[in-house]
Amino acid sequence: MCGRYASIKAPADLADEFRAVDATSGVEPDYNVAPTKNIVAVVQRRPRDADGTPDPDEVERSLRVVKWGLVPSWAKDPKAGARMINARSESAAEKPAFRKALNARRCLIPADGWYEWQRGPEHKQPYYTHYADGASLAMAGLWEFWKPKDDPEGKYPDGLVTAAVLTTAAVGALAQVHDRMPLVLPPSAWDAWLDIDADAAGVAELLVPPTPELVASLELRPVSALVNSVRNNGPELLAEMAPEDVAEPLQLDLLAGPNPQ
């Protein structure tokens, strides 16, 4: 699964990296992104005129602020989103909450790295995974628009845009920490994933675990339990723990399989 990640880069830098227009405002670095927070997503849509009519000949890629936790368009209560932060890539096409978004509302969710917890008999050790060269990870995501049928108190005048992170089977040493991981897409797959005209078969080809080449470019390191609390939020969360403080160190070959039982 993916339940915490770091999003540190400035939107202007992300816009350059993802070849997108920055449509965000007031976004601050977040070292401990948690469910229900506002996050940055890369979306691709047809621009609309003043009357709301989409241009059939143009597409625009932009950075948008969305809420983490997908609320299906048919949901009666937006609280449902707190339970839908992740969607399994193997079954999203079959799930009522995700299948429409998978077909028409795919996005990329930039991250500097993500956290996962290795559960041991007497401990829960957090690990931080990121590209060794500092490039942004592009987690495959789905987004949805929700607006209540009745809103007498005017809580949602513009509706609510939410998103979920797709997950897949963990690969190599990542499986030593947890059996699931975010579906990380290489830059070569970004255009295809965001293509609003892509067919189901083309999308399905992207819903696979990362390649050995991508996994080899990742760095995995143990970090302190400070990340366990959403109240903690700073660069100290990314600091690597001393080897002697890690209860059950991993095999540091990212292409290796899980530890033997």
Side-chain angles (χ1 to χ4, degrees):
M1 65 173 295
C2 176
R4 299 282 182 83
Y5 67 94
S7 180
I8 304 166
K9 291 188 179 71
D13 295 329
L14 292 175
D16 287 341
E17 193 171 2
F18 287 87
R19 306 186 309 278
V21 175
D22 181 12
T24 67
S25 63
V27 176
E28 299 292 336
D30 195 335
Y31 293 84
N32 199 356
V33 182
T36 74
K37 280 188 174 183
N38 286 336
I39 62 173
V40 173
V42 181
V43 302
Q44 193 158 287
R45 305 298 293 163
R46 299 195 187 281
R48 296 174 180 268
D49 61 20
D51 296 323
T53 303
D55 186 335
D57 301 318
E58 297 291 335
V59 293
E60 182 180 78
R61 183 179 299 183
S62 61
L63 295 182
R64 301 281 178 170
V65 174
V66 302
K67 191 179 182 70
W68 189 12
L70 189 141
V71 180
S73 60
W74 41 260
K76 295 181 179 180
D77 190 327
K79 293 180 181 179
R83 302 189 302 274
M84 299 188 189
I85 64 168
N86 292 155
R88 293 178 68 93
S89 58
E90 300 91 341
S91 59
E94 304 164 3
K95 299 295 184 181
F98 303 123
R99 60 191 178 199
K100 287 185 177 180
L102 182 64
N103 180 57
R105 287 178 290 279
R106 297 177 300 279
C107 64
L108 296 172
I109 299 177
D112 288 88
W114 81 89
Y115 303 100
E116 194 56 81
W117 283 258
Q118 179 195 37
R119 295 180 181 274
E122 299 179 358
H123 76 291
K124 192 168 74 168
Q125 173 65 53
Y127 280 82
Y128 180 69
T129 304
H130 64 106
Y131 278 132
D133 65 2
S136 293
L137 295 161
M139 302 187 294
L142 307 175
W143 69 272
E144 189 60 271
F145 177 77
W146 177 87
K147 193 168 186 177
K149 293 182 179 179
D150 298 305
D151 189 15
E153 298 180 6
K155 290 184 177 180
Y156 304 98
D158 300 316
L160 184 64
V161 182
T162 60
V165 175
L166 281 158
T167 66
T168 188
V171 176
L174 300 177
Q176 298 177 42
V177 180
H178 197 278
D179 62 350
R180 304 292 295 177
M181 64 176 285
L183 176 56
V184 177
L185 296 176
S188 60
W190 294 357
D191 289 349
W193 181 253
L194 293 174
D195 183 3
I196 58 179
D197 296 318
D199 59 23
V203 172
E205 291 178 356
L206 301 173
L207 298 175
V208 294
T211 64
E213 291 78 14
L214 188 149
V215 174
S217 66
L218 296 173
E219 182 177 281
L220 177 68
R221 65 172 179 262
V223 294
S224 80
L226 286 172
V227 72
N228 294 357
S229 172
V230 296
R231 292 189 295 272
N232 298 324
N233 199 318
E236 65 277 6
L237 300 186
L238 308 185
E240 184 168 7
M241 287 185 67
E244 60 270 21
D245 294 331
V246 181
E248 296 179 21
L250 302 180
Q251 302 170 8
L252 294 181
D253 179 359
L254 278 178
L255 298 180
N259 288 325
Q261 300 297 316

